[in-house]
Amino acid sequence: GNSVTQMEGPVTLSEEAFLTINCTYTATGYPSLFWYVQYPGEGLQLLLKATKADDKGSNKGFEATYRKETTSFHLEKGSVQVSDSAVYFCALSVNTDKLIFGTGTRLQVFP
Amino acid sequence: DTGVSQDPRHKITKRGQNVTFRCDPISEHNRLYWYRQTLGQGPEFLTYFQNEAQLEKSRLLSDRFSAERPKGSFSTLEIQRTEQGDSAMYLCASSLEGLGEKLFFGSGTQLSVL
């Protein structure tokens, strides 16, 4: 079946540190891949997406590259801020618009 | 654009009672989704509508769960004879057909079954 596996959190970083949150997937067919973010007290919102192999999604300084050979879509940011503290969800969609989410990774950034 | 709104924000009920949640999507969105999220887990798909038609239901959605979207606008999710295992955050999201992956989520209804 289709599934997403994320690294467990929390991930705790100091401001300006480099961030990587790992995400791997299993899918039948050719999925589109997404990162959603949930800030404290808010609903989930789309952060970035990639729809085919080798595509790079980017937004707000975050990037993720669709790697078909390693079935991965790792989220990276070169310099995190306290305001990036949130829960990050990797997700996929195959042929339909139904999203399948990972378990989420909590990021805590301290000044 | 007022976003996706859900009501109530919190619901506490006793086991065996029925509960109903409401979701108002973004007005021009024709797709509406229900997800369930438990602590430490990602959202799990329950069902979705395109306009008033319910197009897909998850196997997670037992016979005690029913969802409607009678006029293609707001939606309700009813849980009959609630069980403690139903305790979760129930999330609603909406989107435009063709841009379905960009879901706009509400803040959810937190259900606690005692």
Side-chain angles (χ1 to χ4, degrees):
Chain A
N2 301 320
S3 65
V4 174
T5 302
Q6 288 183 238
M7 63 187 289
E8 289 193 18
V11 173
T12 304
L13 295 172
S14 297
E15 206 164 26
E16 300 183 2
F18 183 84
L19 168 71
T20 300
I21 300 178
N22 290 338
C23 171
T24 57
Y25 67 89
T26 301
T28 55
Y30 301 97
S32 296
L33 303 173
F34 310 86
W35 279 99
Y36 274 75
V37 59
Q38 187 171 29
Y39 298 103
E42 299 184 16
L44 282 86
Q45 54 187 278
L46 178 64
L47 179 60
L48 54 84
K49 72 175 189 180
T51 56
K52 62 183 187 295
D54 299 325
D55 270 2
K56 179 185 285 187
S58 61
N59 186 24
K60 299 182 180 179
F62 290 89
E63 294 183 339
T65 301
Y66 188 143
R67 300 287 189 199
K68 186 177 178 183
E69 63 276 12
T70 54
T71 61
S72 64
F73 193 56
H74 305 321
L75 182 68
E76 297 181 336
K77 187 174 186 181
S79 175
V80 294
Q81 306 300 311
V82 172
S83 58
D84 294 326
S85 297
V87 182
Y88 292 81
F89 293 92
C90 187
L92 67 80
S93 174
V94 180
N95 296 329
T96 72
D97 295 329
K98 178 180 69 181
L99 287 174
I100 297 170
F101 288 88
T103 54
T105 302
R106 181 176 299 279
L107 171 65
Q108 298 174 322
V109 181
F110 294 96
Chain B
D1 179 2
T2 57
V4 177
S5 62
Q6 293 187 244
D7 184 70
R9 291 294 300 272
H10 304 275
K11 178 69 177 180
I12 300 173
T13 191
K14 293 182 178 179
R15 190 175 50 188
Q17 297 294 304
N18 299 343
V19 294
T20 300
F21 311 140
R22 176 179 170 125
C23 171
D24 287 89
I26 293 172
S27 58
E28 63 267 28
H29 285 183
N30 57 349
R31 289 197 170 182
L32 187 149
Y33 300 78
W34 286 99
Y35 281 81
R36 179 172 66 189
Q37 186 176 19
T38 53
L39 197 62
Q41 299 297 316
E44 296 175 300
F45 171 78
L46 294 179
T47 188
Y48 90 96
F49 294 83
Q50 181 161 310
N51 300 311
E52 65 275 12
Q54 189 172 19
L55 295 188
E56 187 173 348
K57 291 173 60 173
S58 165
R59 286 170 293 178
L60 294 174
L61 216 63
S62 77
D63 291 345
R64 296 185 297 105
F65 288 71
S66 61
E68 294 182 345
R69 194 183 184 197
K71 297 182 180 179
S73 56
F74 73 92
S75 176
T76 58
L77 177 68
E78 180 182 17
I79 309 175
Q80 296 183 327
R81 305 181 302 282
T82 53
E83 302 172 356
Q84 288 185 324
D86 297 331
S87 296
M89 177 74 82
Y90 289 84
L91 299 172
C92 177
S94 69
S95 71
L96 279 171
E97 182 183 3
L99 296 174
E101 308 96 351
K102 188 170 184 179
L103 269 58
F104 292 78
F105 280 85
S107 296
T109 294
Q110 180 66 54
L111 173 66
S112 298
V113 181
L114 304 179

